Amino acid sequence: MGSLANKCSLDFRTFSNFTSYEDFLADQEYKYYRPGQLDALLCGNMSTAGVCPEGYMCLRTRSNPNYGYTNFDTFFWSLLSALRMMTHDFWYNLAELTVRATGMTAIVYFAIVIFPASYYLLSLFMGMVAMTTAEHSEASAAEAKRREEDFAEVLQALKKCEVEEVRSSHLTKDHRSRSPCCSSFSGHFPKCGCWQWLQQRLYTFVTDPFFELGIVICLIVNIMFLSMEHYPMTETFEGVLSRTDLFFVFIYTLEMILKLVAMGLSGYFKMSWNVFEFAIVCSSLSELILADIEGYAMMRSFGLLRVIRLAKWWPAFNMLLRIMRNSMGALRNLTLLLVLMVFFFSVAGMQLFGQDYTRCVCKISADCELPRWHMVDFYHSFLMVFRTMCGDWIETLWDCMEVSSHSVCMIFHITVLVFGKLLILGLFMGLLLSNLAAPEEDKEGEEKNKLKIAMNRIKKAWTRVKPNNTDGTEPDTVTSKGDGRKEYLALTSVTTEQPASKKVEEKKGDKNQDRHTLEDCCCDMCYQCCSFPETNTCRGVLRIWSNLRRCCLSIVEHIYFKWFITLIVVLSSTTLVAEDIYLESRQILKAILKYADLVFTIVFVVEMILKMVGYGLKRYFTKNWCWLDFSVVVVSLISLTVDMLELPAFTLKGLKTLRSLRMVSRFRNTRVVMNALVCVLPSLFEVLLVGLTVWLFFGVIGVELFAGRFYHCINETSQDYFPAEEVENKTECFFFSEEEIDVRWKNMPLNFDHLLAAYLSLLNLATGAWYDVMYAAVDSRKVEDQPEYEANLYMYLFYVTFVISCFFFLNLFIRVLIDTINKLRHKICKNIFFTEGQKNMYKIQKKKLNQTPIPPRPQNKCRAGVFSLVTSWYFEVFMVAVICINIVVLMFETNDDSEEKEEVLHWIHFIIVVIFLIESILKIVAFGRDYFKDWLNIWDFVLVLLSILNIFFADFFYFYFMDIYSPLSMIRLVRVFRALRLHPIAAGIRSLLWALKMSFPALFNIGLLFIMTMFTYAVVGMSQFRYVKKSAMIDDLVNFETFGNSMMTMFLISTITGWDGLLFPFMSMPPDCDPFLENTGTSVRGDCPNTYFGIIFLTSYIIICFVLMLSVFFVIILEIFDMFAEDDDEALSNDDLQMFYDTWKRFDSNASQCIQYSQLSEFCDALKDTLRIPKPNTIKLINMDLPLLPGDKIHYMDILLALRTQVFGVSGQVDDLKANMEKKFKAENSSEVPYNPISSTLRRKKEEAAAAAIQRVYRKWRLASKDGKEGLSSQMNGGSKQTEKEPATNGEMRT
């Protein structure tokens, strides 16, 4: 609280014109401002916080950034900031401000909120919407099927009554089909002589596969020529493009005419592809006719829509188009609802805030002109609503609250955000995902792929013209030389009767081959090309070679060797951290790193040689991880050579940072994720290729609209733009330059001058950083004209259309990813992101899903009373109420609390801690050591200890451990989850939390891979961009100078937002940077980056973050929901059933399927894993109420079902389970076992208890009767005689 008010200010003591210190802090004139920033520079007093420039000091003022709305001073503003982070809106700026004010430890808070919190909640939201929509779709499909059956019955009845009418209609239809002019070609031609002959020949021509292949080639070449347009173009090149465009228009027109003649009008327009091509050809012809009209030349770009025709031969593209077509019908109503909502909020915003923006515009604009985002008119109001629905809402909210009411602006924007982004767009996504599950088959897709037929014909023709072998025989895959070669490199010799090819086949077929068995050194092709003499490998030099290979293989497969290499990999990656901008000034450290680098390289080379010898070259280079190791070794050798020769190859020296990639291969957690992603990549690559094809259309249109129009004239001194009234175009800008005014005609870093630049700009738009490019497009005029504010206002719609298409493609991408993951789960295993150990743990945790461990009730009466108290529902309600009070008290804490308020809150907190302490003591007394078996109790106990430390040592922690003071005071909020135990409404939330717990191993593996990826990019960035000029996002904290700053920089762009702040400095070129600048303490010159490497660096990182990390994060949660939706019978795995059967055989050696009741306790104690019920288990087994067969026997199936219900809490269908177990028992004993229960364990226990009670009553009665008889006899005999005992009676009682 209050940290974001720390700002760099001048020293108050140097000014005498202020009457008080408060007035000085309120005056913004004496603060330090960076160029182009509206808020003063933030700072902090921590060692890792931001530092003020020389001459300024860090003071806590009374104002916060962004009009004072960005802070954590109260619960309300903190909640607003948290919502901003959860929606990923401009959160990187908030993180940088917080780090600058409080230090690097704040990154931990943002990492928790951004990744586990926001992405998990969003993933759960998507999963719940998808599951609900799927259920609704299934119900709708069942209802539609029922209606279809009813309709079929009615139709059948109508057919019986209307036979004559149907016949007449058929006759009429046959008569109409004989029209010679509009007939479609179906094998019967009208008798028109030459016309019939021409139609036949043309139909055969246009339906030939080679005709289709020619059209595809024309499409591809046409797209290539359309993509060649750029700025500036020479007149010659522009003429070539125009002539090629005319040529392709002629080709497509000729194709259309030929098909019209061959098929006729009705036959031609029956096919949707022909209708589509007809429309494109007409637009191309109209463009040629109206080419002189200004702006109409852009219609040439619409010819690029022909790229959609590739879907006719591209299965993946065709599938996506069919999915979009099939989804439109279901999305019609939802789309209309979305449009109505946008219209409603646009009008409402215009009515609520339109006048406020006009009246108070000077509060948000220095020149009192309306900003780009306002609600004065409907068009701009619509744009603001659309922006808010896309998730960019916080900046427009600040402006709104500055000119209007805080509460009204807050309610309006959050309402638009919730209803627009989370509900409408979420339902849109769920409905789309459900429709993607089973797209209908397209009738046109049933036709043969003529393109494949044409390619097969070409292959056959090539085979025919290919020269035959000299001996006239067909070439074989294995030559005679290969059949006769000997495997003298293997451990065992191969005789001439056993050819090598057969041995290789036997090796491939042997799945249980020992991993220490030596394999061929080289591939089969090498042995086929080279003939080796037949030599016995058990003698001479070859025996030594075989023993050497065996020794090398034993070394590389030894566990200690693997641990040693892992340690070396970790150490080599750790040394990369020290190679920062200060390394040149630390000569001793530099020398140590140099020798360490040499040692690491030698170790890696020795490892590579050992693996090549032990595995053999064939096996070594067929392993993907070995290829990675080989590449790292080669890069290390190149880097070492460059260092030894002192060559000026800065980029080559930085390649050694890639050796950190080896950490991925050394840990199982990351290997399993990488293996799964490698299996997913082919399908994702095809979808991404389709996406790039769609982007091609927008890219070419962008080049046509904006090529050469993003240039502007700026003042190099002030970096201000000249208005269009002063500088009209490029010529006038150069005129200012002649007058010795420092001006430059400068282009935007992101532009549409050519297709590659357009792709980069579109990627920037798709990832949310769309404002700079969009503003430049809206302000653009003609080529080489100075931009003017909103001169091209309706260009906003181009970006709106592209963003909508990206959102739709995102849904398609996620669905394809989910389908691919599900296929892998069914093909390989269900937990593809789990290691073997995590899979076993997952099974155990899933089996404990419905278990609630309850400690046993103590025998001691005092402890039993305490046990009853702490396990009662009222006690739990009371504790949850105390937790809620604690949270409310924390909500009342603010930055400006008075001393009296702080004192009251302190004592309330003290009382609450005392209550929690008493609770822990009572539970420890009641539960004993079982108290620490529940992780919730352990968590409560730790929180109590931390709270006590926070109370008594608050000042100590604040002054000496300020970084952890706030987390210690806030971590107790986790207790609120105890409220989820109480009410049935919270059952759904408990299930979601359990899903998080179950998915934690997979998320941990993916997170570890993500951290390693971030680490790798951080060290690469530190080696390549440490000297980049500070501009845009790069400053004294966000940079690549040190490893800490580099990691924070990569973290800030890990959500693929805000990465344009790094892209602009990476695209700096002279004169924006100085390539000859002397960097202090190093021989490296210049602050200009390698632009192309920087673009590849950033784009690859954000693609990896999105494709391989964030999307998989969604899939993990959906995968968990699918697992929970599976049949309950799968709670018992095959391993559990086999373990049960093996244990049963020890007690039932004859496979009679029954055991004695007296053996039940021993049997349940002998089981393993979660099926085991350890002793003492008598009470649990009795409560299972197992049926008893004659002879006090129990059937195995009754025990298995009871254990399943007891341990897993599931019941229901058992047919599959019963069939599986019967198959095992019938293999031992095929005889049928009679199943006639006569009692049950619970009933037997009740009978025994009743018999014991009767015996006790009878015994008491006999004793009472005996005492009565003795008293009567004593009265009659004077009490001198004793009554004899009755042993027989006592014996009967015992019986």
Side-chain angles (χ1 to χ4, degrees):
M1 292 186 294
S3 299
L4 297 185
N6 297 340
K7 298 182 179 180
C8 295
S9 304
L10 294 172
D11 193 351
F12 170 72
R13 294 168 295 182
T14 59
F15 297 92
S16 59
N17 55 339
F18 289 98
T19 58
S20 65
Y21 181 68
E22 299 294 332
D23 295 339
F24 173 77
L25 294 179
D27 197 332
Q28 302 298 323
E29 181 180 354
Y30 300 96
K31 309 296 186 299
Y32 177 79
Y33 292 86
R34 283 181 173 174
Q37 298 295 323
L38 298 178
D39 295 311
L41 181 65
L42 268 64
C43 58
N45 297 317
M46 305 297 297
S47 59
T48 57
V51 181
C52 293
E54 186 177 357
Y56 290 83
M57 59 187 306
C58 189
L59 299 177
R60 175 160 295 188
T61 63
R62 297 298 181 185
S63 60
N64 288 300
N66 306 126
Y67 307 114
Y69 302 135
T70 299
N71 61 78
F72 296 91
D73 296 347
T74 64
F75 173 76
F76 173 78
W77 295 117
S78 182
L79 182 63
L80 182 63
S81 299
L83 182 62
R84 171 184 173 183
M85 289 184 288
M86 298 290 281
T87 56
H88 297 174
D89 183 19
F90 206 37
W91 72 272
Y92 52 89
N93 177 262
L94 177 61
E96 183 181 358
L97 294 177
T98 308
V99 170
R100 184 173 294 279
T102 61
M104 285 289 187
T105 54
I107 287 294
V108 178
Y109 167 74
F110 286 94
I112 294 174
V113 175
I114 292 297
F115 288 100
S118 64
Y119 279 109
Y120 176 70
L121 292 178
L122 182 59
S123 301
L124 291 181
F125 176 78
M126 291 175 56
M128 296 302 297
V129 170
M131 291 174 62
T132 305
T133 308
E135 294 176 358
H136 177 72
S137 299
E138 292 178 359
S140 301
E143 181 66 19
K145 185 177 180 181
R146 186 186 62 81
R147 292 180 179 178
E148 186 177 352
E149 292 176 354
D150 296 340
F151 178 75
E153 294 178 358
V154 174
L155 186 62
Q156 189 68 22
L158 292 175
K159 283 184 177 180
K160 295 180 180 180
C161 302
E162 301 177 355
V163 175
E164 295 298 330
E165 295 181 5
V166 172
R167 288 181 179 178
S168 62
S169 63
H170 278 299
L171 292 175
T172 305
K173 183 177 180 181
D174 293 339
H175 181 267
R176 292 176 180 176
S177 64
R178 294 192 178 97
S179 176
C181 297
C182 300
S183 171
S184 64
F185 185 82
S186 60
H188 302 280
F189 300 94
K191 297 179 181 180
C192 297
C194 296
W195 180 257
Q196 178 183 1
W197 177 85
L198 178 63
Q199 243 184 350
Q200 288 178 345
R201 299 298 184 274
L202 289 179
Y203 186 86
T204 305
F205 176 72
V206 298
T207 57
D208 190 86
F210 282 104
F211 183 81
E212 297 285 342
L213 180 61
I215 294 299
V216 171
I217 295 175
C218 289
L219 284 173
I220 296 175
V221 176
N222 187 16
I223 292 171
M224 292 175 59
F225 275 98
L226 287 175
S227 304
M228 290 180 183
E229 187 173 353
H230 61 277
Y231 174 84
M233 287 192 302
T234 62
E235 295 183 358
T236 303
F237 188 79
E238 190 173 358
V240 171
L241 292 182
S242 300
R243 287 189 290 272
T244 55
D245 185 60
L246 289 174
F247 171 76
F248 286 116
V249 170
F250 171 76
I251 292 294
Y252 299 136
T253 306
L254 180 62
E255 176 201 8
M256 179 187 69
I257 295 173
L258 291 177
K259 287 186 176 181
L260 280 172
V261 174
M263 300 179 178
L265 292 178
S266 61
Y268 180 83
F269 288 106
K270 278 183 180 179
M271 299 181 64
S272 58
W273 290 115
N274 293 338
V275 176
F276 176 76
E277 179 60 23
F278 179 81
I280 298 299
V281 170
C282 291
S283 66
S284 300
L285 293 176
S286 63
E287 186 269 330
L288 294 176
I289 297 173
L290 305 175
D292 296 335
I293 299 179
E294 184 179 359
Y296 203 84
M298 192 192 69
M299 292 296 295
R300 184 178 63 176
S301 301
F302 285 97
L304 192 65
L305 287 174
R306 291 191 180 93
V307 72
I308 300 179
R309 291 188 62 186
L310 293 177
K312 188 175 181 180
W313 306 280
W314 191 353
F317 201 1
N318 191 15
M319 181 192 68
L320 294 180
L321 290 180
R322 286 190 285 112
I323 288 170
M324 295 171 63
R325 185 192 64 188
N326 296 334
S327 301
M328 291 308 297
L331 296 176
R332 182 173 57 250
N333 296 331
L334 189 58
T335 305
L336 179 61
L337 179 61
L338 181 61
V339 171
L340 291 177
M341 179 170 289
V342 171
F343 177 81
F344 169 77
F345 282 116
S346 301
V347 175
M350 186 175 58
Q351 296 295 327
L352 289 173
F353 311 113
Q355 295 181 358
D356 294 335
Y357 274 100
T358 304
R359 183 175 61 254
C360 305
V361 66
C362 294
K363 293 183 178 181
I364 58 176
S365 177
D367 54 0
C368 294
E369 295 289 337
L370 284 175
R372 296 184 185 271
W373 302 99
H374 58 80
M375 292 188 175
V376 174
D377 54 75
F378 176 80
Y379 183 63
H380 285 86
S381 182
F382 159 75
L383 293 175
M384 277 195 66
V385 171
F386 180 81
R387 173 178 175 174
T388 304
M389 285 186 171
C390 291
D392 297 337
W393 56 278
I394 190 66
E395 294 178 275
T396 57
L397 175 62
W398 293 336
D399 290 345
C400 181
M401 289 191 297
E402 192 68 9
V403 300
S404 187
S405 171
H406 288 188
S407 58
V408 177
C409 290
M410 188 76 67
I411 293 173
F412 178 82
H413 281 78
I414 293 181
T415 302
V416 174
L417 180 68
V418 171
F419 284 93
K421 182 180 177 65
L422 299 183
L423 292 181
I424 299 298
L425 302 185
L427 291 175
F428 184 92
M429 180 177 296
L431 188 56
L432 181 60
L433 292 180
S434 65
N435 283 333
L436 287 176
E440 298 178 358
E441 294 293 333
D442 197 341
K443 294 181 179 179
E444 296 179 2
E446 297 177 358
E447 299 179 356
K448 293 182 179 181
N449 195 328
K450 297 181 180 179
L451 191 60
K452 290 184 178 180
I453 298 175
M455 297 303 297
N456 291 334
R457 289 182 181 179
I458 295 175
K459 290 180 180 179
K460 291 180 180 179
W462 172 254
T463 305
R464 292 174 181 175
V465 300
K466 186 178 180 181
N468 297 329
N469 296 332
T470 56
D471 55 358
T473 59
E474 292 292 331
D476 200 354
T477 55
V478 180
T479 62
S480 58
K481 292 183 180 181
D483 291 340
R485 61 104 178 174
K486 302 295 175 291
E487 173 53 0
Y488 65 95
L489 300 178
L491 182 61
T492 58
S493 61
V494 182
T495 62
T496 55
E497 288 78 10
Q498 184 182 7
S501 59
K502 182 177 180 181
K503 184 188 76 67
V504 172
E505 292 177 359
E506 291 176 354
K507 283 186 177 182
K508 293 181 179 179
D510 186 11
K511 296 182 180 180
N512 298 321
Q513 181 185 3
D514 188 11
R515 65 178 181 177
H516 294 290
T517 302
L518 298 181
E519 297 183 6
D520 295 346
C521 277
C522 302
C523 61
D524 296 336
M525 186 177 297
C526 297
Y527 290 113
Q528 294 169 11
C529 296
C530 302
S531 178
F532 298 96
E534 299 186 12
T535 308
N536 193 347
T537 59
C538 298
R539 296 180 182 179
V541 179
L542 296 182
R543 180 180 180 182
I544 299 175
W545 172 252
S546 298
N547 292 335
L548 177 63
R549 289 193 61 198
R550 186 192 301 110
C551 180
C552 293
L553 183 61
S554 301
I555 291 174
V556 297
E557 290 293 339
H558 201 279
I559 186 64
Y560 289 160
F561 181 81
K562 294 180 179 179
W563 288 352
F564 172 74
I565 295 299
T566 301
L567 178 62
I568 295 298
V569 169
V570 173
L571 290 177
S572 65
S573 301
T574 305
T575 57
L576 298 174
V577 174
E579 298 184 3
D580 53 16
I581 196 173
Y582 305 107
L583 181 63
E584 296 293 335
S585 60
R586 303 168 182 170
Q587 294 299 322
I588 298 178
L589 179 61
K590 183 178 179 180
I592 294 174
L593 293 178
K594 182 178 180 180
Y595 288 108
D597 201 13
L598 177 62
V599 172
F600 294 146
T601 303
I602 294 174
V603 172
F604 292 150
V605 171
V606 172
E607 178 205 10
M608 180 185 68
I609 295 174
L610 289 175
K611 287 185 175 181
M612 285 183 174
V613 175
Y615 291 151
L617 297 178
K618 175 183 177 181
R619 181 180 174 187
Y620 182 85
F621 286 106
T622 52
K623 283 188 172 184
N624 295 329
W625 297 116
C626 290
W627 268 108
L628 175 63
D629 298 344
F630 177 77
S631 303
V632 171
V633 170
V634 172
V635 168
S636 299
L637 290 175
I638 294 175
S639 177
L640 186 63
T641 304
V642 170
D643 289 338
M644 293 178 63
L645 298 178
E646 297 182 355
L647 297 177
F650 186 65
T651 303
L652 291 178
K653 292 180 181 179
L655 288 178
K656 66 180 179 180
T657 57
L658 296 177
R659 67 189 182 198
S660 59
L661 291 174
R662 290 204 60 184
M663 291 194 300
V664 177
S665 64
R666 305 309 304 179
F667 296 96
R668 295 180 181 178
N669 305 78
T670 53
R671 276 205 313 267
V672 69
V673 177
M674 283 298 299
N675 291 334
L677 293 178
V678 168
C679 297
V680 172
L681 280 180
S683 59
L684 293 186
F685 178 77
E686 192 170 12
V687 176
L688 289 175
L689 194 59
V690 173
L692 292 178
T693 306
V694 176
W695 281 18
L696 181 66
F697 171 74
F698 287 96
V700 173
I701 291 183
V703 172
E704 183 69 30
L705 290 175
F706 310 120
R709 303 187 182 189
F710 283 7
Y711 284 86
H712 49 275
C713 188
I714 65 169
N715 189 330
E716 285 285 279
T717 304
S718 62
Q719 294 295 316
D720 292 333
Y721 292 180
F722 286 99
E725 293 80 8
E726 297 182 10
V727 178
E728 179 68 21
N729 49 38
K730 180 179 179 180
T731 304
E732 294 186 6
C733 183
F734 287 156
F735 176 76
F736 275 96
S737 178
E738 295 175 358
E739 295 182 356
E740 297 183 355
I741 300 177
D742 192 8
V743 299
R744 181 156 64 101
W745 186 250
K746 184 179 179 181
N747 194 11
M748 287 282 295
L750 295 176
N751 52 68
F752 289 87
D753 288 350
H754 51 84
L755 186 62
L756 293 180
Y759 265 124
L760 184 61
S761 300
L762 292 177
L763 179 63
N764 195 267
L765 294 174
T767 54
W770 49 325
Y771 301 111
D772 292 332
V773 183
M774 183 174 65
Y775 296 159
V778 172
D779 296 345
S780 64
R781 298 193 296 170
K782 295 181 180 180
V783 177
E784 297 186 354
D785 276 2
Q786 180 74 357
E788 185 179 358
Y789 182 75
E790 291 190 344
N792 206 354
L793 188 61
Y794 290 97
M795 283 298 105
Y796 282 118
L797 299 180
F798 173 81
Y799 296 93
V800 170
T801 306
F802 177 75
V803 170
I804 293 175
S805 67
C806 290
F807 175 78
F808 191 78
F809 178 73
L810 175 64
N811 290 270
L812 302 177
F813 176 82
I814 293 176
R815 182 58 200 183
V816 171
L817 186 62
I818 294 173
D819 289 340
T820 308
I821 292 293
N822 288 332
K823 291 178 182 178
L824 290 177
R825 286 179 54 207
H826 294 294
K827 183 179 180 180
I828 303 176
C829 65
K830 294 182 179 179
N831 310 102
I832 60 175
F833 295 103
F834 287 50
T835 62
E836 292 299 327
Q838 290 172 342
K839 290 178 182 178
N840 297 331
M841 182 61 64
Y842 174 83
K843 293 178 182 178
I844 295 174
Q845 293 295 328
K846 188 176 181 181
K847 291 171 183 177
K848 294 181 179 180
L849 174 60
N850 295 308
Q851 288 183 316
T852 53
I854 300 177
R857 186 181 182 87
Q859 300 297 327
N860 185 278
K861 291 185 178 180
C862 295
R863 291 185 61 195
V866 178
F867 181 87
S868 301
L869 173 64
V870 298
T871 56
S872 65
W873 187 80
Y874 298 101
F875 182 82
E876 191 68 23
V877 170
F878 171 75
M879 294 309 304
V880 171
V882 174
I883 293 173
C884 295
I885 293 174
N886 187 19
I887 295 174
V888 172
V889 170
L890 292 174
M891 290 170 54
F892 277 102
E893 294 182 3
T894 62
N895 184 43
D896 299 326
D897 288 341
S898 61
E899 295 183 359
E900 293 80 6
K901 183 179 178 181
E902 290 181 354
E903 186 72 15
V904 172
L905 295 178
H906 173 76
W907 283 108
I908 293 176
H909 176 58
F910 179 81
I911 295 172
I912 292 174
V913 172
V914 171
I915 294 175
F916 289 139
L917 178 61
I918 295 174
E919 178 205 14
S920 299
I921 295 174
L922 291 176
K923 286 189 175 182
I924 292 175
V925 171
F927 299 154
R929 65 180 62 182
D930 292 332
Y931 173 82
F932 296 99
K933 293 182 179 179
D934 189 354
W935 68 274
L936 289 176
N937 293 334
I938 297 175
W939 180 255
D940 289 341
F941 184 77
V942 173
L943 289 182
V944 169
L945 294 180
L946 292 177
S947 300
I948 294 173
L949 292 175
N950 189 31
I951 289 176
F952 293 100
F953 300 98
D955 295 337
F956 176 79
F957 279 108
Y958 181 78
F959 287 106
Y960 295 98
F961 301 97
M962 188 175 179
D963 290 348
I964 63 173
Y965 173 75
S966 296
L968 285 178
S969 61
M970 301 301 295
I971 200 172
R972 56 183 180 266
L973 290 175
V974 183
R975 287 197 187 102
V976 73
F977 291 107
R978 288 181 56 180
L980 302 178
R981 291 180 174 183
L982 298 181
H983 203 277
I985 297 178
I989 303 178
R990 290 198 299 269
S991 300
L992 299 182
L993 293 177
W994 184 263
L996 173 62
K997 181 181 178 182
M998 296 296 292
S999 62
F1000 180 77
L1003 298 181
F1004 173 78
N1005 296 342
I1006 296 174
L1008 185 60
L1009 179 60
F1010 181 78
I1011 292 174
M1012 288 186 179
T1013 303
M1014 190 184 301
F1015 176 88
T1016 302
Y1017 274 86
V1019 294
V1020 171
M1022 190 170 57
S1023 67
Q1024 298 296 317
F1025 307 112
R1026 67 181 72 167
Y1027 300 108
V1028 172
K1029 182 179 179 181
K1030 293 180 174 61
S1031 61
M1033 190 176 179
I1034 296 182
D1035 52 25
D1036 58 327
L1037 283 182
V1038 181
N1039 54 59
F1040 294 93
E1041 295 179 355
T1042 63
F1043 176 73
N1045 292 347
S1046 185
M1047 282 290 289
M1048 186 184 72
T1049 302
M1050 303 313 298
F1051 169 74
L1052 292 179
I1053 64 171
S1054 57
T1055 58
I1056 65 173
T1057 55
W1059 67 283
D1060 57 317
L1062 293 180
L1063 181 62
F1064 291 160
F1066 285 177
M1067 298 180 70
S1068 298
M1069 292 183 179
D1072 294 328
C1073 59
D1074 186 2
F1076 306 104
L1077 178 68
E1078 294 186 2
N1079 297 303
T1080 306
T1082 180
S1083 59
V1084 179
R1085 294 291 181 267
D1087 57 0
C1088 294
N1090 187 335
T1091 301
Y1092 298 105
F1093 184 82
I1095 294 174
I1096 296 174
F1097 175 82
L1098 287 178
T1099 54
S1100 61
Y1101 180 75
I1102 65 170
I1103 290 175
I1104 289 175
C1105 288
F1106 174 71
V1107 177
L1108 304 183
M1109 302 296 170
L1110 306 184
S1111 296
V1112 176
F1113 202 100
F1114 292 104
V1115 173
I1116 292 298
I1117 304 301
L1118 300 179
E1119 182 184 54
I1120 295 298
F1121 276 101
D1122 290 340
M1123 291 179 181
F1124 277 95
E1126 293 174 355
D1127 190 12
D1128 292 335
D1129 291 336
E1130 295 189 2
L1132 282 176
S1133 63
N1134 292 330
D1135 296 336
D1136 297 328
L1137 297 180
Q1138 186 63 38
M1139 182 272 299
F1140 179 88
Y1141 177 71
D1142 295 338
T1143 308
W1144 182 273
K1145 287 195 300 184
R1146 291 161 45 190
F1147 293 83
D1148 181 21
S1149 58
N1150 299 326
S1152 63
Q1153 304 183 12
C1154 297
I1155 62 173
Q1156 293 293 328
Y1157 174 56
S1158 59
Q1159 297 177 296
L1160 180 61
S1161 178
E1162 291 289 341
F1163 172 76
C1164 292
D1165 184 63
L1167 294 172
K1168 298 178 182 179
D1169 297 334
T1170 54
L1171 281 177
R1172 179 174 178 261
I1173 301 180
K1175 291 183 177 181
N1177 53 14
T1178 306
I1179 298 177
K1180 289 185 178 180
L1181 297 178
I1182 290 173
N1183 291 330
M1184 288 182 182
D1185 197 16
L1186 300 173
L1188 285 176
L1189 303 179
D1192 284 352
K1193 294 183 177 181
I1194 303 179
H1195 196 265
Y1196 79 92
M1197 199 63 194
D1198 296 328
I1199 299 176
L1200 183 59
L1201 295 179
L1203 288 174
R1204 190 184 70 156
T1205 305
Q1206 174 72 20
V1207 178
F1208 305 144
V1210 296
S1211 60
Q1213 299 293 333
V1214 296
D1215 295 337
D1216 296 336
L1217 182 62
K1218 187 175 181 180
N1220 193 357
M1221 292 303 297
E1222 284 182 353
K1223 186 184 300 182
K1224 295 179 180 293
F1225 278 96
K1226 286 184 178 181
E1228 299 288 340
N1229 187 359
S1230 59
S1231 60
E1232 295 291 337
V1233 179
Y1235 182 79
N1236 299 311
I1238 60 175
S1239 183
S1240 65
T1241 56
L1242 185 58
R1243 183 177 179 183
R1244 175 64 59 84
K1245 184 61 179 178
K1246 290 180 179 179
E1247 291 174 352
E1248 292 177 355
I1254 294 173
Q1255 287 179 356
R1256 286 194 300 270
V1257 173
Y1258 182 70
R1259 190 176 292 113
K1260 290 180 180 179
W1261 177 78
R1262 291 300 302 270
L1263 291 175
S1265 300
K1266 180 179 177 181
D1267 293 341
K1269 289 180 180 181
E1270 289 179 353
L1272 181 60
S1273 177
S1274 63
Q1275 291 179 2
M1276 293 176 62
N1277 300 326
S1280 60
K1281 201 172 184 180
Q1282 296 288 337
T1283 304
E1284 295 181 357
K1285 296 180 179 180
E1286 299 179 0
T1289 305
N1290 292 335
E1292 292 174 2
M1293 287 186 62
R1294 284 193 296 271
T1295 304

